[in-house]
Amino acid sequence: MHKLWICTCSILMVVVLFFQQTGEAVEENESLHVKTIPVQSETKQKMEDWTLQYKIKNQDLFVECIVPEFSLSKKEKEGHGYLLVKMNGETAAHMGQAAFVMKNLPAGKHTIKVQPVSYDGNTKKDAVTFEVEVPSS
């Protein structure tokens, strides 16, 4: 329960810092350096059992997922999993964290699919598929 509480607090902190839509600002606090950036749009998709939010900023796609009762891990661990990220039908990444950035995407329309998958190969939740349009620089 303690680990769940820490994980939830960490995710909420990332969400707050990650999705603020204030002007560009930099704050420094001893060992913490936080930078908020304005973004062009924010979209939220809620599946039956998890939530995904994404934003486009220039050529970068910012993604944040809240997947209850699903443990993410960068390394293979029993009972854990990762987010299988596909772009235009091709595997783009295996993400072991709930928030990530896909940098320097080519301009144009892209179909992104995010699927929670356990390390034993089973899909544990429904996938989210969405389209983004990356502006030319």
Side-chain angles (χ1 to χ4, degrees):
M1 186 60 140
H2 182 68
K3 288 182 183 180
L4 179 62
W5 175 249
I6 291 173
C7 182
T8 302
C9 289
S10 298
I11 289 172
L12 288 175
M13 180 182 270
V14 168
V15 169
V16 169
L17 295 175
F18 192 72
F19 287 102
Q20 285 183 347
Q21 292 189 350
T22 61
E24 188 160 334
V26 176
E27 299 175 25
E28 291 189 53
N29 177 358
E30 294 180 19
S31 64
L32 179 64
H33 180 81
V34 177
K35 183 176 181 180
T36 58
I37 55 174
V39 295
Q40 294 172 347
S41 65
E42 174 183 341
T43 305
K44 182 175 182 176
Q45 297 213 356
K46 183 165 178 62
M47 297 300 293
E48 189 173 306
D49 54 356
W50 67 288
T51 303
L52 179 142
Q53 295 184 79
Y54 64 91
K55 295 181 182 186
I56 295 286
K57 168 75 172 145
N58 299 326
Q59 260 71 37
D60 300 336
L61 173 64
F62 296 82
V63 180
E64 203 279 326
C65 303
I66 300 173
V67 189
E69 300 176 19
F70 185 75
S71 298
L72 293 169
S73 174
K74 291 181 182 181
K75 295 182 180 178
E76 188 170 338
K77 294 181 183 177
E78 186 176 334
H80 289 76
Y82 58 92
L83 299 172
L84 174 61
V85 182
K86 292 188 175 188
M87 184 170 85
N88 302 326
E90 300 290 324
T91 298
H94 290 181
M95 301 304 303
Q97 57 200 38
F100 57 91
V101 180
M102 296 175 69
K103 292 187 169 218
N104 300 316
L105 297 178
K109 289 185 180 182
H110 303 286
T111 301
I112 308 295
K113 180 178 179 180
V114 180
Q115 173 75 60
V117 179
S118 66
Y119 277 108
D120 64 11
N122 294 320
T123 56
K124 297 295 185 179
K125 310 275 184 175
D126 291 333
V128 171
T129 302
F130 57 96
E131 289 191 4
V132 296
E133 185 160 356
V134 179
S136 56
S137 47

